[in-house]
Amino acid sequence: MDIILKQQPMLLHRNGPKPGIVGYQRAAVTHRTLDDARVYGPGVVLSGNELHFGGLTYSNQQSFLYARGEFQFPMPDTYVDRELTLLWGYFAWDTSIPCNWSHFIWTYLMRLAFAEPTPLLVSERVPERFLDWARALGFTDFEKVTDGVRVRRLHIPSVLCYRDANGTPAVLPSAVYMLRNRLGIGLPPVARTRVYIERGQSSPWRRVLNEAELMAALTAQGFQCISPERMTVDEQLDAMGAAEVIVNPFGGASAMNMFAPEDCKVIELSFPPVVGSFAGSMWADVLGQQYVRVDGVPGEQTGPLPIDRDFTVPVAEVVAAL
Protein backbone atom coordinates (compact mmCIF):
# COMPACT_ATOMS: atom_id res chain seq x y z
CA MET A 1 0.00 0.00 0.00
CA ASP A 2 1.29 3.45 -0.91
CA ILE A 3 0.87 6.03 1.85
CA ILE A 4 0.52 9.44 0.21
CA LEU A 5 -0.45 11.48 3.28
CA LYS A 6 -0.64 10.41 6.92
CA GLN A 7 -3.61 11.35 9.09
CA GLN A 8 -2.96 14.32 11.34
CA PRO A 9 -4.93 16.67 13.64
CA MET A 10 -6.73 19.58 12.01
CA LEU A 11 -8.69 22.53 13.41
CA LEU A 12 -11.42 24.33 11.46
CA HIS A 13 -13.30 27.49 12.41
CA ARG A 14 -17.06 27.25 12.90
CA ASN A 15 -18.72 30.32 11.41
CA GLY A 16 -22.16 31.05 12.84
CA PRO A 17 -24.08 32.19 15.91
CA LYS A 18 -21.95 29.84 18.03
CA PRO A 19 -18.48 30.40 16.54
CA GLY A 20 -15.51 28.40 17.72
CA ILE A 21 -12.81 25.95 16.80
CA VAL A 22 -13.84 22.42 15.79
CA GLY A 23 -11.41 19.53 16.03
CA TYR A 24 -11.09 17.23 13.02
CA GLN A 25 -8.44 14.98 11.55
CA ARG A 26 -6.93 15.65 8.15
CA ALA A 27 -7.68 12.40 6.36
CA ALA A 28 -4.98 9.93 5.45
CA VAL A 29 -4.51 9.32 1.74
CA THR A 30 -3.48 5.86 0.54
CA HIS A 31 -3.57 3.83 -2.64
CA ARG A 32 -3.25 0.11 -3.04
CA THR A 33 -3.44 -2.36 -5.92
CA LEU A 34 -4.61 -5.92 -5.28
CA ASP A 35 -4.70 -8.90 -7.61
CA ASP A 36 -7.53 -11.47 -7.53
CA ALA A 37 -9.53 -9.31 -5.09
CA ARG A 38 -13.00 -10.00 -3.68
CA VAL A 39 -15.16 -7.04 -2.62
CA TYR A 40 -17.80 -7.24 0.13
CA GLY A 41 -20.36 -4.96 1.67
CA PRO A 42 -19.59 -1.35 2.45
CA GLY A 43 -15.85 -1.67 2.74
CA VAL A 44 -13.98 -4.98 2.84
CA VAL A 45 -11.66 -6.48 0.26
CA LEU A 46 -10.27 -10.02 0.50
CA SER A 47 -7.06 -10.76 -1.37
CA GLY A 48 -5.54 -14.17 -0.81
CA ASN A 49 -6.03 -14.81 2.91
CA GLU A 50 -5.78 -11.14 3.90
CA LEU A 51 -8.72 -8.87 4.74
CA HIS A 52 -8.34 -5.17 3.97
CA PHE A 53 -10.40 -2.62 5.93
CA GLY A 54 -8.47 0.62 6.25
CA GLY A 55 -9.37 3.39 3.85
CA LEU A 56 -12.27 1.49 2.29
CA THR A 57 -15.32 2.98 3.95
CA TYR A 58 -16.39 5.83 6.20
CA SER A 59 -15.73 3.68 9.30
CA ASN A 60 -12.36 1.97 9.04
CA GLN A 61 -12.57 -0.09 12.22
CA GLN A 62 -12.92 -3.86 12.04
CA SER A 63 -15.04 -3.67 15.21
CA PHE A 64 -17.63 -1.55 13.40
CA LEU A 65 -17.90 -4.00 10.54
CA TYR A 66 -18.42 -6.92 12.88
CA ALA A 67 -20.54 -5.07 15.45
CA ARG A 68 -23.91 -6.38 14.31
CA GLY A 69 -22.72 -9.92 13.66
CA GLU A 70 -23.83 -9.80 10.04
CA PHE A 71 -20.50 -10.02 8.24
CA GLN A 72 -20.46 -12.93 5.81
CA PHE A 73 -18.41 -13.91 2.80
CA PRO A 74 -20.62 -14.76 -0.16
CA MET A 75 -18.72 -16.63 -2.84
CA PRO A 76 -20.62 -16.21 -6.11
CA ASP A 77 -19.07 -17.57 -9.26
CA THR A 78 -18.56 -14.08 -10.62
CA TYR A 79 -15.14 -13.25 -12.01
CA VAL A 80 -14.33 -10.01 -13.82
CA ASP A 81 -11.22 -10.34 -15.95
CA ARG A 82 -10.50 -6.62 -15.95
CA GLU A 83 -8.34 -3.99 -14.29
CA LEU A 84 -10.70 -1.67 -12.39
CA THR A 85 -10.74 1.15 -9.85
CA LEU A 86 -12.97 0.72 -6.81
CA LEU A 87 -15.96 3.02 -6.48
CA TRP A 88 -18.49 0.55 -4.97
CA GLY A 89 -21.09 2.85 -3.47
CA TYR A 90 -23.31 1.76 -0.59
CA PHE A 91 -22.65 1.94 3.11
CA ALA A 92 -24.82 -0.52 5.04
CA TRP A 93 -25.00 -4.29 5.41
CA ASP A 94 -28.75 -4.24 5.88
CA THR A 95 -30.22 -4.63 2.38
CA SER A 96 -33.45 -2.98 3.52
CA ILE A 97 -31.62 0.34 3.99
CA PRO A 98 -31.68 2.30 0.72
CA CYS A 99 -28.57 3.80 -0.82
CA ASN A 100 -27.90 7.23 0.64
CA TRP A 101 -26.85 9.93 -1.84
CA SER A 102 -24.98 11.95 0.76
CA HIS A 103 -22.90 8.96 1.85
CA PHE A 104 -22.22 8.09 -1.77
CA ILE A 105 -20.88 11.57 -2.50
CA TRP A 106 -18.57 12.02 0.47
CA THR A 107 -17.60 8.40 1.07
CA TYR A 108 -17.13 7.13 -2.45
CA LEU A 109 -17.27 9.79 -5.14
CA MET A 110 -14.83 12.11 -3.37
CA ARG A 111 -12.18 9.36 -3.45
CA LEU A 112 -12.07 9.95 -7.23
CA ALA A 113 -11.49 13.72 -6.93
CA PHE A 114 -7.86 13.44 -8.02
CA ALA A 115 -8.21 10.35 -10.25
CA GLU A 116 -8.09 10.24 -14.03
CA PRO A 117 -11.17 8.59 -15.59
CA THR A 118 -10.75 4.81 -15.52
CA PRO A 119 -13.17 1.85 -15.56
CA LEU A 120 -14.90 1.63 -12.16
CA LEU A 121 -16.13 -1.32 -10.08
CA VAL A 122 -19.61 -0.46 -8.75
CA SER A 123 -22.15 -2.28 -6.60
CA GLU A 124 -25.28 -3.28 -8.48
CA ARG A 125 -27.26 -1.54 -5.72
CA VAL A 126 -26.10 1.93 -6.75
CA PRO A 127 -28.84 3.94 -8.52
CA GLU A 128 -28.00 5.31 -11.95
CA ARG A 129 -28.74 8.86 -10.76
CA PHE A 130 -25.83 8.48 -8.31
CA LEU A 131 -23.54 7.36 -11.11
CA ASP A 132 -24.48 10.51 -13.02
CA TRP A 133 -22.23 12.34 -10.55
CA ALA A 134 -19.30 10.10 -11.51
CA ARG A 135 -20.15 10.75 -15.17
CA ALA A 136 -19.94 14.48 -14.44
CA LEU A 137 -16.33 13.86 -13.37
CA GLY A 138 -15.59 12.12 -16.67
CA PHE A 139 -16.04 8.47 -15.65
CA THR A 140 -18.12 6.53 -18.17
CA ASP A 141 -17.20 2.83 -17.83
CA PHE A 142 -18.93 1.05 -14.92
CA GLU A 143 -18.71 -2.65 -14.08
CA LYS A 144 -21.83 -3.25 -11.96
CA VAL A 145 -21.48 -6.42 -9.89
CA THR A 146 -22.81 -8.38 -6.91
CA ASP A 147 -21.31 -8.77 -3.45
CA GLY A 148 -18.29 -11.11 -3.36
CA VAL A 149 -17.22 -10.56 -6.97
CA ARG A 150 -13.64 -11.47 -7.88
CA VAL A 151 -11.65 -8.96 -9.91
CA ARG A 152 -8.39 -9.69 -11.70
CA ARG A 153 -6.77 -6.42 -10.58
CA LEU A 154 -8.29 -3.74 -8.39
CA HIS A 155 -6.96 -0.24 -7.69
CA ILE A 156 -8.21 1.17 -4.39
CA PRO A 157 -7.88 4.90 -3.67
CA SER A 158 -8.73 5.49 -0.01
CA VAL A 159 -11.88 7.24 1.13
CA LEU A 160 -11.13 10.86 2.00
CA CYS A 161 -13.85 11.43 4.58
CA TYR A 162 -14.32 8.95 7.42
CA ARG A 163 -14.56 8.34 11.17
CA ASP A 164 -11.20 7.34 12.62
CA ALA A 165 -10.65 4.69 15.31
CA ASN A 166 -11.42 7.25 18.04
CA GLY A 167 -14.64 8.34 16.34
CA THR A 168 -13.20 11.70 15.23
CA PRO A 169 -14.36 12.91 11.80
CA ALA A 170 -11.55 13.00 9.24
CA VAL A 171 -11.69 14.86 5.94
CA LEU A 172 -9.33 16.11 3.27
CA PRO A 173 -10.42 19.70 2.49
CA SER A 174 -8.41 19.82 -0.74
CA ALA A 175 -10.51 16.92 -2.05
CA VAL A 176 -13.68 18.95 -1.49
CA TYR A 177 -12.27 21.83 -3.51
CA MET A 178 -10.96 19.50 -6.20
CA LEU A 179 -14.37 17.84 -6.48
CA ARG A 180 -16.02 21.26 -6.81
CA ASN A 181 -13.48 22.26 -9.46
CA ARG A 182 -14.07 19.15 -11.55
CA LEU A 183 -17.82 19.72 -11.38
CA GLY A 184 -17.33 23.25 -12.72
CA ILE A 185 -18.32 25.12 -9.56
CA GLY A 186 -17.05 28.69 -9.71
CA LEU A 187 -18.04 32.07 -8.35
CA PRO A 188 -21.77 32.47 -7.65
CA PRO A 189 -23.89 34.50 -10.09
CA VAL A 190 -24.99 38.04 -9.25
CA ALA A 191 -28.61 36.92 -8.81
CA ARG A 192 -28.72 34.75 -5.70
CA THR A 193 -31.45 32.39 -4.54
CA ARG A 194 -32.84 30.94 -1.31
CA VAL A 195 -33.29 27.18 -1.36
CA TYR A 196 -35.17 24.69 0.78
CA ILE A 197 -34.28 21.06 0.10
CA GLU A 198 -37.43 19.05 0.53
CA ARG A 199 -37.28 15.92 2.63
CA GLY A 200 -40.59 14.78 1.15
CA GLN A 201 -41.01 11.06 0.69
CA SER A 202 -37.40 10.41 -0.34
CA SER A 203 -36.97 8.16 2.70
CA PRO A 204 -39.32 6.11 4.86
CA TRP A 205 -37.86 7.81 7.95
CA ARG A 206 -36.45 11.15 9.20
CA ARG A 207 -39.39 12.91 7.55
CA VAL A 208 -40.34 16.45 8.53
CA LEU A 209 -43.86 15.93 9.84
CA ASN A 210 -44.88 19.58 9.43
CA GLU A 211 -43.02 20.11 6.16
CA ALA A 212 -46.04 21.65 4.39
CA GLU A 213 -46.22 24.37 7.08
CA LEU A 214 -42.46 24.91 6.89
CA MET A 215 -42.46 25.17 3.09
CA ALA A 216 -45.32 27.69 3.15
CA ALA A 217 -43.40 29.87 5.63
CA LEU A 218 -40.19 29.66 3.61
CA THR A 219 -41.91 30.32 0.29
CA ALA A 220 -43.27 33.53 1.83
CA GLN A 221 -39.63 34.45 2.55
CA GLY A 222 -38.63 34.03 -1.11
CA PHE A 223 -37.45 30.43 -1.00
CA GLN A 224 -37.69 27.94 -3.83
CA CYS A 225 -38.31 24.36 -2.71
CA ILE A 226 -36.42 21.67 -4.60
CA SER A 227 -36.39 17.86 -4.69
CA PRO A 228 -32.86 16.81 -5.74
CA GLU A 229 -33.89 13.23 -6.56
CA ARG A 230 -36.02 14.62 -9.41
CA MET A 231 -33.27 16.86 -10.80
CA THR A 232 -30.29 16.28 -13.07
CA VAL A 233 -26.76 16.83 -11.77
CA ASP A 234 -26.53 20.13 -13.67
CA GLU A 235 -29.86 21.31 -12.24
CA GLN A 236 -28.72 20.49 -8.71
CA LEU A 237 -25.39 22.25 -9.20
CA ASP A 238 -27.15 25.33 -10.63
CA ALA A 239 -29.49 25.46 -7.63
CA MET A 240 -26.67 25.10 -5.12
CA GLY A 241 -24.24 27.35 -6.97
CA ALA A 242 -26.56 30.36 -6.74
CA ALA A 243 -27.73 29.85 -3.16
CA GLU A 244 -27.22 32.55 -0.55
CA VAL A 245 -29.22 30.58 2.04
CA ILE A 246 -29.92 26.84 2.20
CA VAL A 247 -32.38 25.23 4.61
CA ASN A 248 -31.80 21.50 4.67
CA PRO A 249 -33.23 18.71 6.85
CA PHE A 250 -30.71 16.17 8.15
CA GLY A 251 -30.70 13.09 5.92
CA GLY A 252 -29.74 11.88 2.48
CA ALA A 253 -29.19 15.40 1.08
CA SER A 254 -26.99 16.55 3.97
CA ALA A 255 -23.97 17.07 1.72
CA MET A 256 -25.70 19.49 -0.67
CA ASN A 257 -24.00 22.55 0.79
CA MET A 258 -20.69 21.03 -0.34
CA PHE A 259 -21.60 22.53 -3.73
CA ALA A 260 -22.79 25.95 -2.50
CA PRO A 261 -20.81 29.22 -2.41
CA GLU A 262 -18.42 29.85 0.46
CA ASP A 263 -20.54 32.81 1.62
CA CYS A 264 -23.74 30.74 1.71
CA LYS A 265 -25.66 30.50 5.00
CA VAL A 266 -26.58 26.92 5.90
CA ILE A 267 -29.50 26.19 8.23
CA GLU A 268 -29.62 22.51 9.05
CA LEU A 269 -32.75 20.99 10.58
CA SER A 270 -32.19 18.10 12.94
CA PHE A 271 -33.19 16.78 16.36
CA PRO A 272 -31.49 15.48 19.48
CA PRO A 273 -29.58 13.22 19.97
CA VAL A 274 -28.34 13.35 16.34
CA VAL A 275 -24.69 14.45 16.27
CA GLY A 276 -24.51 14.87 12.50
CA SER A 277 -20.69 14.93 12.24
CA PHE A 278 -20.82 14.16 8.52
CA ALA A 279 -23.81 16.35 7.72
CA GLY A 280 -23.97 20.02 6.73
CA SER A 281 -21.76 21.19 9.59
CA MET A 282 -18.61 19.49 8.25
CA TRP A 283 -18.89 20.98 4.77
CA ALA A 284 -19.75 24.39 6.22
CA ASP A 285 -16.60 24.21 8.38
CA VAL A 286 -14.45 23.14 5.42
CA LEU A 287 -15.80 25.89 3.15
CA GLY A 288 -16.19 28.63 5.76
CA GLN A 289 -19.96 28.84 5.33
CA GLN A 290 -22.10 30.27 8.11
CA TYR A 291 -23.78 27.34 9.87
CA VAL A 292 -26.90 27.30 12.03
CA ARG A 293 -28.54 24.19 13.42
CA VAL A 294 -32.21 24.23 14.42
CA ASP A 295 -33.41 21.24 16.42
CA GLY A 296 -36.93 19.92 16.22
CA VAL A 297 -38.84 17.39 18.30
CA PRO A 298 -38.28 13.72 17.39
CA GLY A 299 -41.12 11.24 17.12
CA GLU A 300 -41.10 7.47 17.28
CA GLN A 301 -38.30 5.46 15.68
CA THR A 302 -39.41 4.48 12.16
CA GLY A 303 -36.18 2.93 10.81
CA PRO A 304 -33.47 0.47 11.85
CA LEU A 305 -31.25 3.05 13.58
CA PRO A 306 -31.98 5.09 16.74
CA ILE A 307 -31.66 8.30 14.69
CA ASP A 308 -34.24 7.10 12.13
CA ARG A 309 -37.10 9.16 13.49
CA ASP A 310 -39.56 11.54 11.92
CA PHE A 311 -39.51 14.97 13.56
CA THR A 312 -41.42 18.22 13.90
CA VAL A 313 -39.63 21.49 13.09
CA PRO A 314 -40.08 24.74 15.06
CA VAL A 315 -41.08 26.85 12.03
CA ALA A 316 -40.89 30.22 13.78
CA GLU A 317 -37.35 29.43 14.95
CA VAL A 318 -36.30 28.54 11.40
CA VAL A 319 -37.71 31.81 10.02
CA ALA A 320 -35.98 33.74 12.79
CA ALA A 321 -32.65 32.10 11.84
CA LEU A 322 -32.83 33.41 8.28
Side-chain angles (χ1 to χ4, degrees):
M1 178 174 65
D2 294 329
I3 299 175
I4 301 168
L5 288 174
K6 293 183 178 180
Q7 180 177 300
Q8 57 185 303
M10 177 178 67
L11 299 176
L12 296 175
H13 182 260
R14 173 68 53 84
N15 178 17
K18 298 179 180 180
I21 301 298
V22 183
Y24 290 95
Q25 292 285 316
R26 182 174 286 108
V29 182
T30 65
H31 190 280
R32 73 191 81 185
T33 299
L34 300 175
D35 293 324
D36 194 22
R38 282 189 181 272
V39 182
Y40 300 96
V44 178
V45 173
L46 176 65
S47 180
N49 294 319
E50 186 176 3
L51 278 175
H52 300 268
F53 295 92
L56 287 162
T57 185
Y58 78 101
S59 287
N60 291 328
Q61 308 93 286
Q62 184 171 340
S63 60
F64 172 82
L65 295 168
Y66 279 92
R68 297 176 64 187
E70 297 174 357
F71 189 74
Q72 298 178 355
F73 295 98
M75 293 289 188
D77 294 326
T78 306
Y79 177 73
V80 179
D81 188 16
R82 299 186 69 186
E83 184 169 351
L84 300 166
T85 298
L86 184 66
L87 175 62
W88 210 235
Y90 69 93
F91 71 101
W93 297 107
D94 188 343
T95 57
S96 68
I97 298 177
C99 290
N100 181 307
W101 175 88
S102 186
H103 275 269
F104 175 79
I105 294 294
W106 56 256
T107 305
Y108 297 108
L109 187 73
M110 199 161 70
R111 79 198 306 172
L112 303 177
F114 301 100
E116 293 297 324
T118 55
L120 298 177
L121 183 72
V122 182
S123 167
E124 65 176 358
R125 294 176 58 189
V126 179
E128 282 295 317
R129 66 184 180 88
F130 289 13
L131 295 183
D132 285 341
W133 288 84
R135 293 183 179 100
L137 298 181
F139 294 86
T140 58
D141 187 351
F142 305 102
E143 187 78 42
K144 299 190 77 170
V145 294
T146 59
D147 227 24
V149 62
R150 284 174 56 209
V151 180
R152 176 171 60 83
R153 171 163 284 195
L154 187 63
H155 299 284
I156 308 173
S158 62
V159 298
L160 303 177
C161 181
Y162 58 85
R163 192 192 323 275
D164 73 6
N166 297 316
T168 304
V171 64
L172 188 70
S174 60
V176 179
Y177 282 98
M178 186 63 176
L179 186 63
R180 288 164 60 93
N181 180 66
R182 290 185 62 167
L183 290 169
I185 297 172
L187 294 175
V190 174
R192 305 291 289 274
T193 58
R194 295 178 147 200
V195 178
Y196 173 70
I197 301 173
E198 297 179 36
R199 185 64 180 160
Q201 301 300 314
S202 60
S203 174
W205 47 77
R206 303 184 203 166
R207 290 171 295 191
V208 178
L209 295 175
N210 59 336
E211 188 167 52
E213 177 191 357
L214 175 64
M215 289 170 60
L218 291 175
T219 300
Q221 297 291 326
F223 276 73
Q224 63 182 73
C225 302
I226 66 170
S227 298
E229 66 272 18
R230 295 198 290 267
M231 303 167 70
T232 66
V233 171
D234 286 343
E235 288 171 342
Q236 292 178 66
L237 290 174
D238 286 345
M240 290 299 99
E244 65 174 359
V245 183
I246 296 172
V247 178
N248 191 6
F250 167 76
S254 289
M256 290 295 285
N257 61 302
M258 183 193 296
F259 308 119
E262 286 94 331
D263 65 348
C264 180
K265 184 175 187 178
V266 179
I267 301 174
E268 186 167 56
L269 311 179
S270 192
F271 54 89
V274 173
V275 176
S277 301
F278 297 100
S281 59
M282 170 178 279
W283 313 117
D285 292 344
V286 168
L287 296 169
Q289 295 165 339
Q290 186 177 2
Y291 175 79
V292 181
R293 171 166 162 160
V294 177
D295 274 337
V297 178
E300 295 183 1
Q301 183 174 337
T302 51
L305 303 175
I307 60 172
D308 292 335
R309 299 173 182 270
D310 298 340
F311 64 109
T312 302
V313 172
V315 174
E317 189 174 341
V318 175
V319 172
L322 299 177

